[in-house]
Amino acid sequence: GQNIDQPTEMTATEGAIVQINCTYQTSGFNGLFWYQQHAGEAPTFLSYNVLDGLEEKGRFSSFLSRSKGYSYLLLKELQMKDSASYLCAVSDSNYQLIWGAGTKLIIKP
Amino acid sequence: TAGITQAPTSQILAAGRSMTLRCTQDMRHNAMYWYRQDLGLGLRLIHYSNTAGTTGKGEVPDGYSVSRANTDDFPLTLASAVPSQTSVYFCASSAGTSNEELFFGEGSRLTVL
């Protein structure tokens, strides 16, 4: 079956760095997405990786290793507004998105 | 800009009643989707439409129907609601169907009693 695994919850301190991991087992792979979802709001797009390596976008970076079925989202210089859930999603061989349950990130002052 | 608009924002519904969740987008996107989001689970695709006039079944289509009469509108209908359909429903759209960014509506919280 198809499976996306992420930690359920993580806690970090304002100003610090946090890494949110995502491992996947899917039928085929056509890319991996990260979305941010604040409580009670809609998910919004953060990043897309299809090739191995690190993609940097401001304070956020996303890494992919296709051979390991692994990705991470790196958030630097954490701010209180980064408190949200982070959703990992993989596009399978049919370009259908398979979603992880999300990682709730709590930022403490 | 409106993007995607969903209505209603929230609704309490008696089991057995029918309900239509509305979704409208103004981005002229070809593809539209309906997802449900439940605690502890990832977003699950209910139905999708790759272009106006076509629809397809997602992962959890039972008990739901959709139509796509034009590019902008993609309503989701529950013909006879059951308590297991209590969830938050998100409508989304994308310009294309291959690894395109999804744009989500604000969600519709439905409670079936």
Side-chain angles (χ1 to χ4, degrees), chain A residues 30 35 37 42 48 91 96 100, chain B residues 37 42 45 99 101-102 104-105:
Chain A
N30 278 306
Y35 281 77
Q37 185 178 25
Y48 170 68
S91 176
Q96 293 270 5
Chain B
Q37 187 174 42
L45 183 65
N99 297 331
E101 174 186 350
L102 294 183
F104 286 85

Side-chain angles (χ1 to χ4, degrees), chain A residues 23-81:
Chain A
T23 58
Y24 63 89
Q25 291 176 307
T26 57
S27 55
F29 179 85
N30 278 306
L32 185 144
F33 294 82
W34 285 96
Y35 281 77
Q36 180 190 59
Q37 185 178 25
H38 286 101
E41 297 184 8
T44 55
F45 171 81
L46 285 178
S47 68
Y48 170 68
N49 294 67
V50 66
L51 299 176
D52 290 350
L54 188 68
E55 295 273 347
E56 297 187 71
K57 192 185 294 185
R59 292 189 299 114
F60 291 10
S61 302
S62 55
F63 171 83
L64 174 67
S65 169
R66 288 172 297 172
S67 63
K68 295 182 179 178
Y70 168 69
S71 173
Y72 67 72
L73 182 68
L74 191 71
L75 290 72
K76 303 176 186 176
E77 302 169 16
L78 286 169
Q79 302 175 10
M80 297 304 292
K81 67 178 182 179

Side-chain angles (χ1 to χ4, degrees), chain B residues 9-78:
Chain B
T9 304
S10 66
Q11 182 75 43
I12 299 174
L13 188 66
R17 299 298 294 267
S18 66
M19 176 76 196
T20 294
L21 302 180
R22 301 183 298 279
C23 176
T24 300
Q25 54 109 352
D26 63 2
M27 297 176 283
R28 308 303 294 172
H29 282 172
N30 285 318
M32 297 188 75
Y33 313 85
W34 274 106
Y35 286 95
R36 60 178 290 172
Q37 187 174 42
D38 302 288
L39 198 62
L41 299 176
L43 288 164
R44 291 184 291 170
L45 183 65
I46 303 170
H47 285 287
Y48 65 93
S49 169
N50 288 336
T51 190
T54 69
T55 62
K57 294 182 179 180
E59 179 186 358
V60 289
D62 294 344
Y64 306 94
S65 63
V66 292
S67 62
R68 186 90 184 276
N70 56 60
T71 297
D72 299 343
D73 301 301
F74 191 44
L76 177 74
T77 297
L78 289 68

